[in-house]
Amino acid sequence: MSVSGQEKLKVLIRRAAIQKRVREVARQITKDFKGERVHLIGVLKGACIFLSDLVREISLDTSIDFIAVSSYGKGKQSSGQVRVLKDLDSSIEGLNVVLVEDILDTGLTLTYLIRILQQRRPRILRVAALLDKPSRRLKPVKPDYVGFTIPNEFVVGYGLDYAERYRNLKDVCILSLPPA
Ligand code: IMP
Ligand code: MG
């Protein structure tokens, strides 16, 4: 993996641990929605890898859709502004929806998404986040399914990016930048 400049990566969660935990979360979803259909909504782009691994471990009738929002600029800081860049392709009315996010940080993105998705009257709306950084929370959001609770570090890999890079790392890594 090529790392640019003086950026440093340190493994936080190894691929094998991610794989094992994703299986466990999928098993829990399968149990919770036994005999029903689940509609997974991935929040682009960060959740695409988590969603594609998760859905393949769910033993139920499933469908998927994606929504894209922007809450961060190109860097590490949240602007606090959330905007829909790409909406869902189809209605979620009456469906069992699991919203799939890469990471829950301040909670601004999910608070906004939960509000707009609830207005579309799904039967159930649950949230699955691969990572949770509870120490940074500004809005009270409690995900129903969490992969890993992590400390207040900026992480990349397994779908998560820094300025669109590093999404392809198989491990979740802590990114340190050189002092500005
Ligand atoms: P929130 O609105 O602050 O909860 O932020 C959620 C979004 O910010 C996530 O979907 C990520 O795209 C991004 N984000 C938050 N923390 C990190 C991080 O440590 N690495 C990469 N992206 C992050
Ligand atoms: Mg991002």
Side-chain angles (χ1 to χ4, degrees), residues 72 101-103 105-109 133 153-155 160-161:
Y72 279 55
E101 238 307 27
D102 54 356
I103 187 166
D105 187 23
T106 63
L108 293 167
T109 308
K133 256 195 237 179
E153 302 276 5
F154 193 84
V155 290
L160 290 114
D161 73 306

Side-chain angles (χ1 to χ4, degrees), residues 43-47 69-72 75-82 100-113 131-133 136-139 141 150-157 159-163 165 167 172-175:
V43 184
L44 292 173
K45 301 170 216 168
V69 292
S70 77
S71 55
Y72 279 55
K76 284 180 163 189
Q77 286 301 310
S78 172
S79 61
Q81 296 282 334
V82 186
V100 181
E101 238 307 27
D102 54 356
I103 187 166
L104 176 53
D105 187 23
T106 63
L108 293 167
T109 308
L110 273 178
T111 302
Y112 172 81
L113 280 172
L131 306 173
D132 186 9
K133 256 195 237 179
R136 295 243 314 157
R137 203 75 93 250
L138 297 174
K139 295 267 186 183
V141 185
I150 63 165
N152 184 16
E153 302 276 5
F154 193 84
V155 290
V156 294
L160 290 114
D161 73 306
Y162 170 61
R165 293 166 41 233
R167 294 194 198 274
V172 169
C173 300
I174 295 172
L175 175 72

